[in-house]
């Protein structure tokens, strides 16, 4: 990850604009935290830089993980602009290979979760590829099916950047890339609008099955977002993953299943080529959805409505996780910007797929800093409980 190691930096007066970035404030550790956070904004996307000392008494400046923006080039630029403002005494850095060429294209095709949450594209049929890796299959399908809008979801940043570069070089117009956990994404895709979902060679997670993309919940969501006749196509080289998934698919109603072994596709991914060279078997399960699903309401706004007492919040800040029947809340850290502003780091929601967020409180009003949580049942319940706790 991009970072700059500095001996010293100088705080500057905020808020201040520097090129495309705005630096908003410095938040100092108050309870349980060790780093200083710098609030920042790019094109209305809020994010944080973190400044932390290492064992050698140097300071490492990098992007905070929870609010990280994509692509990586933006983080490198933010770090560079910050260091110019803060007159950093730089010891070393890995941000010098700045490549601006693909930045503009990236903005056009790389979308944040907010984009989909607020204006889910509905004017074309949608096909989704989950964990596209090198992107060979995604790029091939997009070029072949120009009337389809493709959403490619990946969490591996170098793969995302590589595919964004290819989208630019090959002048492809019908792919949107999302850097997000696909398991959660499906939960707020509107019902019955997806034609195909591809899950090719998902990580088998033999020892951590809860991290697998395919789960009962995922299959249910996939069924809901698929049109009647739409398909979820799982391709795997892991017999264990195949067996596990088949058992889950067989529990579903109103679907058809097609099973293949060593089926040839028109395009083979890098990953697949490797398995074929090793003469490993490849298994396919195609789930064909047979029903029309009810629409869902994803309109929850995650607003905090009541006025808050900052002093009371600081004095009663409890870092012990609170566990409820189907969700949890963990207030982790608190930072202070000035007497009227604090920043709280917390995690909450589903036990196996928790949300990590910051809550920013200014002049007695609270809001999520960065993206709001997405409207899963566990997150809505957590939010309502968080508000009660903050209200004391
Ligand atoms: C084994 S690779 C396969 C890549 C590609 N589909 C292929 O066939 O070459 C699995 C990919 O899934 C991605 N991945 C794993 N879990 C994911 C998740 N929850 N959401 C999105 N992508 C995920 C990984 O980053 C990785 O690139």
């Amino acid at each position: 990850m991009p970072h700059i190691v500095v001996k010293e930096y100088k705080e500057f007066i905020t808020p201040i604009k520097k090129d495309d970035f705005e630096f908003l404030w410095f938040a100092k550790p108050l309870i349980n935290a060790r780093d200083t956070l710098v609030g920042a904004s790019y094109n209305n996307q809020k994010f944080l830089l973190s400044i932390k000392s290492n064992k050698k008494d140097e300071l490492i400046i990098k992007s905070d993980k929870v609010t990280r923006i994509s692509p990586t080039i933006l983080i490198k630029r933010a770090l560079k602009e910050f260091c110019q403002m803060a007159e950093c005494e730089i010891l070393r850095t890995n941000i010098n290979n700045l490549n601006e060429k693909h930045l503009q294209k990236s903005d056009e095709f790389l979308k944040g979760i907010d984009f989909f949450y607020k204006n889910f594209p509905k004017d074309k049929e949608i096909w989704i590829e989950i964990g596209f890796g090198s992107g060979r299959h995604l790029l091939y399908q997009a070029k072949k099916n120009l009337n389809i809008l493709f959403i490619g979801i990946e969490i591996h940043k170098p793969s995302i950047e590589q595919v964004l570069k290819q989208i630019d070089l090959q002048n492809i117009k019908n792919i949107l890339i999302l850097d997000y956990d696909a398991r959660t994404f499906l939960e707020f895709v509107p019902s019955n609008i997806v034609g195909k979902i591809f899950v090719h060679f998902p990580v088998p997670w033999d020892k951590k099955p809860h991290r697998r993309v395919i789960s009962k919940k995922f299959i249910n969501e996939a069924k809901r977002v698929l049109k009647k006749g739409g398909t979820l196509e799982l391709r795997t080289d892991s017999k264990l993953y195949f067996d596990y998934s088949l058992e889950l698919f067989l529990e579903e109603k109103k679907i058809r299943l097609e099973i293949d072994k060593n089926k040839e596709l028109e395009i083979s991914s890098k990953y697949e080529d490797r398995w074929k060279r090793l003469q490993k078997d490849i298994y396919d399960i195609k789930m064909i959805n047979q029903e029309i699903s009810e629409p869902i309401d994803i309109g929850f706004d995650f607003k905090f409505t009541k006025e808050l007492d900052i002093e009371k919040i600081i004095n009663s800040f409890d870092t012990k996780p609170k566990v409820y029947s189907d969700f949890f809340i963990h207030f982790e850290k608190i930072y202070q910007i000035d007497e009227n502003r604090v920043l709280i780091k917390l995690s909450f929601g589903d036990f196996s797929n928790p949300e990590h967020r910051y809550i920013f409180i200014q002049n007695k009003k609270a809001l999520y800093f960065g993206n709001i949580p997405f409207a899963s049942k566990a997150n809505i319940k957590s939010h309502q409980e968080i508000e009660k706790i903050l209200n004391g």
Side-chain angles (χ1 to χ4, degrees), residues 105-148:
K105 285 282 162 194
S106 298
D107 273 357
E108 200 177 332
F109 297 107
L110 179 67
K111 298 295 181 194
I113 193 68
D114 253 22
F115 169 86
F116 292 99
Y117 201 79
K118 288 179 193 147
N119 347 281
F120 203 97
K122 287 187 187 148
D123 48 341
K124 274 186 174 180
E125 177 169 328
I126 290 181
W127 292 8
I128 297 175
E129 177 153 357
I130 290 172
F132 54 73
S134 70
R136 248 197 232 174
H137 179 264
L138 177 66
L139 295 162
Y140 172 86
Q141 290 287 0
K143 282 188 285 183
K144 201 177 147 202
N145 299 284
L146 296 174
N147 54 342
I148 302 289

Side-chain angles (χ1 to χ4, degrees), residues 199-204 206 234-243 262 269 271-272 274-276 278-284:
V199 186
H200 285 182
F201 302 98
V203 183
D206 289 346
L234 167 69
R235 190 162 172 81
T236 179
D237 54 288
S238 158
K239 177 71 167 44
L240 205 73
Y241 202 104
F242 167 80
D243 290 339
N262 297 329
S269 71
Y271 195 81
E272 180 168 342
R274 201 180 326 145
W275 292 133
K276 282 186 181 153
L278 297 172
Q279 300 200 313
K280 275 191 82 171
D281 287 327
I282 292 174
Y283 307 89
D284 282 276

Side-chain angles (χ1 to χ4, degrees), residues 16-23 40-43 45 47 69 73-79 81-82:
I16 190 162
K17 285 204 163 123
K18 177 85 171 60
D19 288 342
D20 301 333
F21 296 91
E22 185 170 11
F23 296 104
S41 168
Y42 170 85
N43 265 351
Q45 292 179 74
F47 65 100
I69 51 171
I73 180 82
L74 286 178
I75 300 171
K76 291 182 180 177
R77 280 188 49 200
L79 289 170
E81 306 289 4
F82 174 79

Side-chain angles (χ1 to χ4, degrees), residues 129-134 153-156 159 180-183 200-203 205 211 213 269-272:
E129 177 153 357
I130 290 172
F132 54 73
S134 70
I153 310 176
E154 224 339 308
I155 47 175
H156 182 238
S159 300
Y180 200 69
D181 189 325
R183 294 173 302 175
H200 285 182
F201 302 98
V203 183
W205 293 115
R211 297 190 67 174
V213 168
S269 71
K270 266 191 196 163
Y271 195 81
E272 180 168 342

Side-chain angles (χ1 to χ4, degrees), residues 153-169:
I153 310 176
E154 224 339 308
I155 47 175
H156 182 238
K157 308 231 179 290
S159 300
I160 291 175
E161 301 208 344
Q162 192 184 325
V163 170
L164 283 170
K165 229 177 253 182
Q166 285 306 318
I167 290 176
D168 179 11
L169 292 172

Side-chain angles (χ1 to χ4, degrees), residues 18-212:
K18 177 85 171 60
D19 288 342
D20 301 333
F21 296 91
E22 185 170 11
F23 296 104
L24 306 167
W25 30 255
F26 289 83
K28 301 287 180 182
L30 193 62
I31 300 173
N32 240 8
R34 287 198 296 133
D35 52 340
T36 290
L37 294 174
V38 184
S41 168
Y42 170 85
N43 265 351
N44 290 328
Q45 292 179 74
K46 300 272 191 295
F47 65 100
L48 295 165
L49 298 179
S50 141
I51 307 173
K52 199 173 181 177
S53 61
N54 66 9
K55 283 180 197 144
K56 295 187 219 155
D57 259 348
E58 301 164 334
L59 296 166
I60 304 178
I61 312 176
K62 58 185 182 184
S63 166
D64 158 73
K65 266 194 213 151
V66 171
T67 55
R68 188 159 62 201
I69 51 171
S70 277
T72 315
I73 180 82
L74 286 178
I75 300 171
K76 291 182 180 177
R77 280 188 49 200
L79 289 170
K80 192 175 138 202
E81 306 289 4
F82 174 79
C83 266
Q84 278 176 11
M85 290 300 306
E87 298 172 29
C88 294
E89 210 176 303
I90 298 180
L91 297 170
R92 54 192 182 277
T93 176
N94 64 355
I95 69 157
N96 285 332
N97 51 346
L98 282 183
N99 179 356
E100 304 276 339
K101 195 167 152 241
H102 298 288
L103 180 60
Q104 224 180 336
K105 285 282 162 194
S106 298
D107 273 357
E108 200 177 332
F109 297 107
L110 179 67
K111 298 295 181 194
I113 193 68
D114 253 22
F115 169 86
F116 292 99
Y117 201 79
K118 288 179 193 147
N119 347 281
F120 203 97
K122 287 187 187 148
D123 48 341
K124 274 186 174 180
E125 177 169 328
I126 290 181
W127 292 8
I128 297 175
E129 177 153 357
I130 290 172
F132 54 73
S134 70
R136 248 197 232 174
H137 179 264
L138 177 66
L139 295 162
Y140 172 86
Q141 290 287 0
K143 282 188 285 183
K144 201 177 147 202
N145 299 284
L146 296 174
N147 54 342
I148 302 289
L149 176 65
F150 284 80
I151 301 176
I153 310 176
E154 224 339 308
I155 47 175
H156 182 238
K157 308 231 179 290
S159 300
I160 291 175
E161 301 208 344
Q162 192 184 325
V163 170
L164 283 170
K165 229 177 253 182
Q166 285 306 318
I167 290 176
D168 179 11
L169 292 172
Q170 301 186 39
N171 202 20
I172 294 172
K173 301 282 180 212
N174 56 334
I175 300 182
L176 297 176
I177 299 290
L178 172 66
D179 172 2
Y180 200 69
D181 189 325
R183 294 173 302 175
T184 352
F185 174 69
L186 280 195
E187 275 200 45
F188 56 90
V189 174
S191 304
N192 315 302
I193 63 160
V194 179
K196 291 187 186 203
I197 302 172
F198 302 102
V199 186
H200 285 182
F201 302 98
V203 183
W205 293 115
D206 289 346
K207 294 199 178 128
K208 293 183 183 164
H210 65 278
R211 297 190 67 174
R212 289 175 181 158

